[in-house]
Amino acid sequence: MSTPDDPPADSKLTRSKRRWAQEARFLTGRTSRPGEQRLPPGQHLTRDWPTLDLGLTPDISRERWRLDVYGAVEQPLFWNFSQFTGRPQANFTSDIHCVTTWSRYDNQWEGLSTRDLLGACRPRDEARFVLLHSHDGYTTNLALEDFAAEDALLAHSWSGAPLEAEHGGPVRLVVPHLYFWKSAKWLQSIEFLAEDAPGYWEVRGYHNRGDPWLEQRYSGD
Ligand SMILES: Nc1nc2c(c(=O)[nH]1)N[C@H]1C(S)=C(S)[C@@H](COP(=O)(O)O)O[C@H]1N2
Ligand SMILES: [Mo]
């Protein structure tokens, strides 16, 4: 038996993705800047919205959901869903870029901007990184500046409706300027750290930062 916080054993998809990292698949060797072209190098546009996960979909109701914010912060937080949505709400529209090469334009998100969250928890001076923990045992790490991007948010709704469980509901992170694996679904807790701590994909061959414009797909790129 694994505890709820252990990631599940490899699935067909996670095995393929580990192999793609070893083979450095999909790399074009081109880079560009966000202002120059909307679609990052090596990406193609999709109109549907694929689902990527570790082979399981946690079933968490809004009633049971809690957000735990801890570590190097002046004010640790432990919010239930109505405390979370009681904060000022942000609406952002952004593009998704998945490292497996699909991109999806114009996603409408509603939730709490990460800047508002930072205002509430007040990271201490030594805080330089965040590690996101999810209900499926997934983790992913971000530099504090990336987490604090202007259009990053903890989203509970997409296209005006509650975020579906398969896409990470009740609440997921959305960090539009990085590959979508940084956008943790089924968010459970946010840990503020002085030292970086690589997450699930970052220890399985994927880049520590994941900028799609620089094609930072794999570690060692
Ligand atoms: N908790 C959790 N978050 C996750 C993942 C996951 O497996 N578990 N997969 C990541 C990857 S690789 C991608 S591309 C996106 C997929 O989000 P979607 O299924 O809503 O398209 O979620 C990211 N966040
Ligand atoms: Mo992904």
PDB file of all heavy atoms in Angstrom, residues 56-65 135-136 164-166 168-170 186:
ATOM      1  N   LEU A  56      -4.292   8.576 -12.325  1.00  0.00           N
ATOM      2  CA  LEU A  56      -5.408   8.596 -11.374  1.00  0.00           C
ATOM      3  C   LEU A  56      -5.943  10.016 -11.241  1.00  0.00           C
ATOM      4  O   LEU A  56      -5.237  10.986 -11.474  1.00  0.00           O
ATOM      5  CB  LEU A  56      -5.003   8.035 -10.008  1.00  0.00           C
ATOM      6  CG  LEU A  56      -3.923   8.774  -9.228  1.00  0.00           C
ATOM      7  CD1 LEU A  56      -4.547   9.678  -8.177  1.00  0.00           C
ATOM      8  CD2 LEU A  56      -3.008   7.762  -8.548  1.00  0.00           C
ATOM      9  N   THR A  57      -7.223  10.094 -10.902  1.00  0.00           N
ATOM     10  CA  THR A  57      -7.898  11.382 -10.742  1.00  0.00           C
ATOM     11  C   THR A  57      -8.424  11.477  -9.319  1.00  0.00           C
ATOM     12  O   THR A  57      -9.430  10.858  -8.993  1.00  0.00           O
ATOM     13  CB  THR A  57      -9.087  11.492 -11.731  1.00  0.00           C
ATOM     14  OG1 THR A  57      -8.599  11.276 -13.051  1.00  0.00           O
ATOM     15  CG2 THR A  57      -9.746  12.862 -11.656  1.00  0.00           C
ATOM     16  N   PRO A  58      -7.748  12.235  -8.457  1.00  0.00           N
ATOM     17  CA  PRO A  58      -8.250  12.380  -7.084  1.00  0.00           C
ATOM     18  C   PRO A  58      -9.662  12.973  -7.087  1.00  0.00           C
ATOM     19  O   PRO A  58      -9.946  13.864  -7.881  1.00  0.00           O
ATOM     20  CB  PRO A  58      -7.258  13.348  -6.434  1.00  0.00           C
ATOM     21  CG  PRO A  58      -6.019  13.256  -7.250  1.00  0.00           C
ATOM     22  CD  PRO A  58      -6.480  12.964  -8.647  1.00  0.00           C
ATOM     23  N   ASP A  59     -10.500  12.458  -6.226  1.00  0.00           N
ATOM     24  CA  ASP A  59     -11.894  12.919  -6.136  1.00  0.00           C
ATOM     25  C   ASP A  59     -12.028  13.723  -4.842  1.00  0.00           C
ATOM     26  O   ASP A  59     -12.232  13.171  -3.774  1.00  0.00           O
ATOM     27  CB  ASP A  59     -12.815  11.695  -6.147  1.00  0.00           C
ATOM     28  CG  ASP A  59     -14.274  12.088  -6.058  1.00  0.00           C
ATOM     29  OD1 ASP A  59     -14.584  13.279  -6.262  1.00  0.00           O
ATOM     30  OD2 ASP A  59     -15.103  11.199  -5.786  1.00  0.00           O
ATOM     31  N   ILE A  60     -11.873  15.034  -4.959  1.00  0.00           N
ATOM     32  CA  ILE A  60     -11.909  15.915  -3.776  1.00  0.00           C
ATOM     33  C   ILE A  60     -13.065  16.883  -3.967  1.00  0.00           C
ATOM     34  O   ILE A  60     -13.087  17.618  -4.958  1.00  0.00           O
ATOM     35  CB  ILE A  60     -10.618  16.746  -3.643  1.00  0.00           C
ATOM     36  CG1 ILE A  60      -9.365  15.936  -3.964  1.00  0.00           C
ATOM     37  CG2 ILE A  60     -10.544  17.436  -2.285  1.00  0.00           C
ATOM     38  CD1 ILE A  60      -8.847  15.085  -2.885  1.00  0.00           C
ATOM     39  N   SER A  61     -13.982  16.921  -3.062  1.00  0.00           N
ATOM     40  CA  SER A  61     -15.081  17.888  -3.171  1.00  0.00           C
ATOM     41  C   SER A  61     -14.596  19.248  -2.699  1.00  0.00           C
ATOM     42  O   SER A  61     -13.612  19.363  -1.961  1.00  0.00           O
ATOM     43  CB  SER A  61     -16.261  17.441  -2.312  1.00  0.00           C
ATOM     44  OG  SER A  61     -15.883  17.470  -0.949  1.00  0.00           O
ATOM     45  N   ARG A  62     -15.309  20.289  -3.134  1.00  0.00           N
ATOM     46  CA  ARG A  62     -15.001  21.632  -2.637  1.00  0.00           C
ATOM     47  C   ARG A  62     -15.173  21.703  -1.122  1.00  0.00           C
ATOM     48  O   ARG A  62     -14.468  22.447  -0.441  1.00  0.00           O
ATOM     49  CB  ARG A  62     -15.905  22.659  -3.323  1.00  0.00           C
ATOM     50  CG  ARG A  62     -15.505  22.914  -4.775  1.00  0.00           C
ATOM     51  CD  ARG A  62     -16.381  23.960  -5.429  1.00  0.00           C
ATOM     52  NE  ARG A  62     -15.745  24.484  -6.636  1.00  0.00           N
ATOM     53  CZ  ARG A  62     -16.204  25.519  -7.330  1.00  0.00           C
ATOM     54  NH1 ARG A  62     -17.310  26.144  -6.964  1.00  0.00           N
ATOM     55  NH2 ARG A  62     -15.564  25.947  -8.416  1.00  0.00           N
ATOM     56  N   GLU A  63     -16.093  20.923  -0.569  1.00  0.00           N
ATOM     57  CA  GLU A  63     -16.336  20.936   0.880  1.00  0.00           C
ATOM     58  C   GLU A  63     -15.136  20.373   1.647  1.00  0.00           C
ATOM     59  O   GLU A  63     -14.800  20.853   2.719  1.00  0.00           O
ATOM     60  CB  GLU A  63     -17.586  20.110   1.227  1.00  0.00           C
ATOM     61  CG  GLU A  63     -18.907  20.734   0.805  1.00  0.00           C
ATOM     62  CD  GLU A  63     -19.064  20.812  -0.718  1.00  0.00           C
ATOM     63  OE1 GLU A  63     -18.654  19.854  -1.437  1.00  0.00           O
ATOM     64  OE2 GLU A  63     -19.562  21.844  -1.203  1.00  0.00           O
ATOM     65  N   ARG A  64     -14.525  19.343   1.096  1.00  0.00           N
ATOM     66  CA  ARG A  64     -13.413  18.702   1.809  1.00  0.00           C
ATOM     67  C   ARG A  64     -12.075  19.387   1.546  1.00  0.00           C
ATOM     68  O   ARG A  64     -11.108  19.193   2.276  1.00  0.00           O
ATOM     69  CB  ARG A  64     -13.287  17.237   1.366  1.00  0.00           C
ATOM     70  CG  ARG A  64     -14.172  16.285   2.115  1.00  0.00           C
ATOM     71  CD  ARG A  64     -13.548  14.874   2.141  1.00  0.00           C
ATOM     72  NE  ARG A  64     -13.287  14.339   0.815  1.00  0.00           N
ATOM     73  CZ  ARG A  64     -12.131  13.800   0.447  1.00  0.00           C
ATOM     74  NH1 ARG A  64     -11.114  13.732   1.281  1.00  0.00           N
ATOM     75  NH2 ARG A  64     -11.968  13.318  -0.775  1.00  0.00           N
ATOM     76  N   TRP A  65     -12.008  20.148   0.446  1.00  0.00           N
ATOM     77  CA  TRP A  65     -10.727  20.719   0.011  1.00  0.00           C
ATOM     78  C   TRP A  65     -10.176  21.741   1.015  1.00  0.00           C
ATOM     79  O   TRP A  65     -10.927  22.543   1.581  1.00  0.00           O
ATOM     80  CB  TRP A  65     -10.912  21.359  -1.369  1.00  0.00           C
ATOM     81  CG  TRP A  65      -9.662  21.954  -1.928  1.00  0.00           C
ATOM     82  CD1 TRP A  65      -8.673  21.297  -2.604  1.00  0.00           C
ATOM     83  CD2 TRP A  65      -9.261  23.334  -1.864  1.00  0.00           C
ATOM     84  NE1 TRP A  65      -7.678  22.188  -2.951  1.00  0.00           N
ATOM     85  CE2 TRP A  65      -8.018  23.444  -2.508  1.00  0.00           C
ATOM     86  CE3 TRP A  65      -9.840  24.484  -1.312  1.00  0.00           C
ATOM     87  CZ2 TRP A  65      -7.333  24.647  -2.631  1.00  0.00           C
ATOM     88  CZ3 TRP A  65      -9.162  25.688  -1.429  1.00  0.00           C
ATOM     89  CH2 TRP A  65      -7.914  25.765  -2.080  1.00  0.00           C
ATOM     90  N   HIS A 135      -2.798  16.183  -4.518  1.00  0.00           N
ATOM     91  CA  HIS A 135      -3.472  15.036  -3.905  1.00  0.00           C
ATOM     92  C   HIS A 135      -3.153  13.697  -4.553  1.00  0.00           C
ATOM     93  O   HIS A 135      -3.461  12.658  -3.984  1.00  0.00           O
ATOM     94  CB  HIS A 135      -4.983  15.259  -3.897  1.00  0.00           C
ATOM     95  CG  HIS A 135      -5.416  16.205  -2.825  1.00  0.00           C
ATOM     96  ND1 HIS A 135      -5.545  15.827  -1.509  1.00  0.00           N
ATOM     97  CD2 HIS A 135      -5.718  17.521  -2.862  1.00  0.00           C
ATOM     98  CE1 HIS A 135      -5.926  16.863  -0.777  1.00  0.00           C
ATOM     99  NE2 HIS A 135      -6.036  17.909  -1.579  1.00  0.00           N
ATOM    100  N   ASP A 136      -2.556  13.716  -5.755  1.00  0.00           N
ATOM    101  CA  ASP A 136      -2.168  12.442  -6.385  1.00  0.00           C
ATOM    102  C   ASP A 136      -0.720  12.086  -6.077  1.00  0.00           C
ATOM    103  O   ASP A 136      -0.163  11.157  -6.665  1.00  0.00           O
ATOM    104  CB  ASP A 136      -2.390  12.502  -7.904  1.00  0.00           C
ATOM    105  CG  ASP A 136      -1.634  13.659  -8.558  1.00  0.00           C
ATOM    106  OD1 ASP A 136      -1.131  14.537  -7.825  1.00  0.00           O
ATOM    107  OD2 ASP A 136      -1.562  13.681  -9.803  1.00  0.00           O
ATOM    108  N   GLU A 164     -13.163  21.094 -13.807  1.00  0.00           N
ATOM    109  CA  GLU A 164     -13.511  19.683 -13.699  1.00  0.00           C
ATOM    110  C   GLU A 164     -12.404  18.887 -13.008  1.00  0.00           C
ATOM    111  O   GLU A 164     -11.233  19.241 -13.093  1.00  0.00           O
ATOM    112  CB  GLU A 164     -13.750  19.107 -15.092  1.00  0.00           C
ATOM    113  CG  GLU A 164     -15.051  19.585 -15.706  1.00  0.00           C
ATOM    114  CD  GLU A 164     -15.269  18.956 -17.064  1.00  0.00           C
ATOM    115  OE1 GLU A 164     -15.310  17.710 -17.133  1.00  0.00           O
ATOM    116  OE2 GLU A 164     -15.364  19.709 -18.033  1.00  0.00           O
ATOM    117  N   ALA A 165     -12.815  17.795 -12.363  1.00  0.00           N
ATOM    118  CA  ALA A 165     -11.838  16.974 -11.623  1.00  0.00           C
ATOM    119  C   ALA A 165     -10.707  16.523 -12.539  1.00  0.00           C
ATOM    120  O   ALA A 165      -9.541  16.538 -12.140  1.00  0.00           O
ATOM    121  CB  ALA A 165     -12.529  15.766 -11.001  1.00  0.00           C
ATOM    122  N   GLU A 166     -11.000  16.150 -13.784  1.00  0.00           N
ATOM    123  CA  GLU A 166      -9.930  15.629 -14.646  1.00  0.00           C
ATOM    124  C   GLU A 166      -8.882  16.701 -14.957  1.00  0.00           C
ATOM    125  O   GLU A 166      -7.747  16.390 -15.288  1.00  0.00           O
ATOM    126  CB  GLU A 166     -10.492  15.021 -15.925  1.00  0.00           C
ATOM    127  CG  GLU A 166     -11.241  16.001 -16.793  1.00  0.00           C
ATOM    128  CD  GLU A 166     -11.648  15.375 -18.128  1.00  0.00           C
ATOM    129  OE1 GLU A 166     -11.405  14.181 -18.337  1.00  0.00           O
ATOM    130  OE2 GLU A 166     -12.213  16.122 -18.962  1.00  0.00           O
ATOM    131  N   GLY A 168      -8.033  19.009 -12.673  1.00  0.00           N
ATOM    132  CA  GLY A 168      -7.364  19.438 -11.445  1.00  0.00           C
ATOM    133  C   GLY A 168      -8.248  20.078 -10.397  1.00  0.00           C
ATOM    134  O   GLY A 168      -7.748  20.600  -9.404  1.00  0.00           O
ATOM    135  N   GLY A 169      -9.568  20.087 -10.632  1.00  0.00           N
ATOM    136  CA  GLY A 169     -10.477  20.653  -9.644  1.00  0.00           C
ATOM    137  C   GLY A 169     -10.468  19.864  -8.356  1.00  0.00           C
ATOM    138  O   GLY A 169     -10.123  18.687  -8.367  1.00  0.00           O
ATOM    139  N   PRO A 170     -10.765  20.532  -7.227  1.00  0.00           N
ATOM    140  CA  PRO A 170     -11.306  21.898  -7.080  1.00  0.00           C
ATOM    141  C   PRO A 170     -10.355  23.037  -7.472  1.00  0.00           C
ATOM    142  O   PRO A 170     -10.801  24.033  -7.994  1.00  0.00           O
ATOM    143  CB  PRO A 170     -11.619  22.003  -5.583  1.00  0.00           C
ATOM    144  CG  PRO A 170     -11.703  20.610  -5.086  1.00  0.00           C
ATOM    145  CD  PRO A 170     -10.792  19.803  -5.941  1.00  0.00           C
ATOM    146  N   TRP A 186      -5.098  19.526  -8.666  1.00  0.00           N
ATOM    147  CA  TRP A 186      -5.507  19.008  -7.332  1.00  0.00           C
ATOM    148  C   TRP A 186      -4.594  19.526  -6.223  1.00  0.00           C
ATOM    149  O   TRP A 186      -4.066  18.771  -5.391  1.00  0.00           O
ATOM    150  CB  TRP A 186      -5.515  17.474  -7.330  1.00  0.00           C
ATOM    151  CG  TRP A 186      -6.237  16.905  -8.490  1.00  0.00           C
ATOM    152  CD1 TRP A 186      -7.574  17.026  -8.752  1.00  0.00           C
ATOM    153  CD2 TRP A 186      -5.678  16.143  -9.580  1.00  0.00           C
ATOM    154  NE1 TRP A 186      -7.867  16.394  -9.932  1.00  0.00           N
ATOM    155  CE2 TRP A 186      -6.728  15.850 -10.458  1.00  0.00           C
ATOM    156  CE3 TRP A 186      -4.387  15.689  -9.882  1.00  0.00           C
ATOM    157  CZ2 TRP A 186      -6.540  15.119 -11.623  1.00  0.00           C
ATOM    158  CZ3 TRP A 186      -4.190  14.975 -11.036  1.00  0.00           C
ATOM    159  CH2 TRP A 186      -5.262  14.694 -11.888  1.00  0.00           C
TER     160      TRP A 186
END
